[in-house]
Amino acid sequence: MDGQTMAESLSDQELAQRVVEVENRLDCLETTLASVADEIDGLSLSSPCGKCEKSLLLIKDGTLYCPYCGNGDPL
């Protein structure tokens, strides 16, 4: 690709379509993750971790907890 990234070689229309596909996939994964969390007693999801921004915070037993960086605070 002569040093170009895949995104650089796509047309605007192709890139927009890929963004839509990724957004749809992300929505699907978020719905699935929320449903899995609902199946685990006392576990729910919160906002993204403010410290690392690499994971959603989990809420369990009155504590917010980031499974990625370990950041946590009592509610």
Side-chain angles (χ1 to χ4, degrees):
M1 280 194 274
D2 297 333
Q4 287 184 321
T5 65
M6 182 186 287
E8 291 171 330
S9 66
L10 297 174
S11 70
D12 288 345
Q13 184 176 4
E14 290 170 323
L15 198 52
Q17 180 59 36
R18 286 188 57 136
V19 168
V20 168
E21 290 169 2
V22 168
E23 287 175 338
N24 289 339
R25 179 80 172 152
L26 180 58
D27 288 343
C28 179
L29 289 170
E30 287 177 339
T31 300
T32 302
L33 181 58
S35 295
V36 169
D38 287 344
E39 293 293 320
I40 300 171
D41 288 336
L43 182 68
S44 59
L45 302 175
S46 185
S47 58
C49 177
K51 182 177 178 184
C52 71
E53 297 181 357
K54 300 226 181 237
S55 178
L56 294 176
L57 294 171
L58 302 177
I59 303 172
K60 185 165 177 93
D61 300 326
T63 301
L64 285 171
Y65 174 76
C66 176
Y68 186 82
C69 72
N71 186 39
D73 293 305
L75 291 174

